Amino acid sequence: MHRTIPTLTAALLLAGTLAACSDSSPHPKPAKHSATAKASAAAAKPKNLADAYADKLDAVSDGSAADCQSPSSTTCSNDLGAIMVVVEDVQKDIDAQGGAVAYPKSTKQIAKMRAAQQEYEDNACEGDPTADDPNSDCWGIVAITIGAPTLTMTLGTDELS
């Protein structure tokens, strides 16, 4: 009997060890490490803003030049607002990736667009029939309607520099 207990104990330990080694479920520690490594690698790589925003800028500016042939219209005002929302998102991403140092041309383009938006608001162009006169100060909105596709190009130019 004295020989049976140590033999039985050894057999159980061996079986337990083999069962533990053949466990096919992944261990949380290595999986967590690899997920962290992937996240770190993605964070280290700068975001390509030209690619990230090209479709968004195209979508919000599509038709805005035609809509803004009447700067006084609500449609034009809505188009300008939608464009500027995306432009503000671009600016946040530019700031996160080095600001004007990394994106000098894009930063200048955004400044022109913001100035045009401010002029549109200062002149109370929406709803003002005199805003539709080609000589009015409200026509500065071209810096926004044409500025959106231009911003896509300047982002690409800045990223190639």
Side-chain angles (χ1 to χ4, degrees):
M1 174 118 167
H2 289 299
R3 289 182 110 193
T4 310
I5 291 176
T7 305
L8 184 58
T9 303
L12 288 174
L13 282 173
L14 180 62
T17 303
L18 289 174
C21 289
S22 67
D23 183 14
S24 65
S25 65
H27 298 297
K29 207 171 204 179
K32 185 176 182 183
H33 176 69
S34 65
T36 304
K38 288 178 187 176
S40 296
K45 183 181 177 189
K47 187 176 183 180
N48 184 321
L49 299 183
D51 290 343
Y53 285 101
D55 291 340
K56 292 176 186 178
L57 287 166
D58 287 346
V60 295
S61 65
D62 186 40
S64 65
D67 291 343
C68 289
Q69 292 300 310
S70 298
S72 66
S73 72
T74 302
T75 304
C76 177
S77 179
N78 291 341
D79 288 355
L80 298 176
I83 292 169
M84 293 309 292
V85 165
V86 175
V87 168
E88 291 305 317
D89 289 343
V90 172
Q91 183 64 60
K92 287 176 190 171
D93 275 348
I94 286 174
D95 291 343
Q97 292 194 34
V101 173
Y103 289 88
K105 291 175 176 66
S106 301
T107 301
K108 287 178 186 176
Q109 179 62 35
I110 290 171
K112 289 177 188 176
M113 295 172 77
R114 284 179 170 161
Q117 177 70 17
Q118 190 61 52
E119 186 176 348
Y120 184 81
E121 290 172 8
D122 290 348
N123 289 310
C125 297
E126 182 182 5
D128 180 4
T130 63
D132 297 338
D133 179 350
N135 295 317
S136 82
D137 291 332
C138 296
W139 281 86
I141 57 169
V142 171
I144 299 171
T145 59
I146 301 302
T150 302
L151 183 55
T152 301
M153 290 185 285
T154 59
L155 286 167
T157 300
D158 284 338
E159 290 173 343
L160 290 175
S161 308

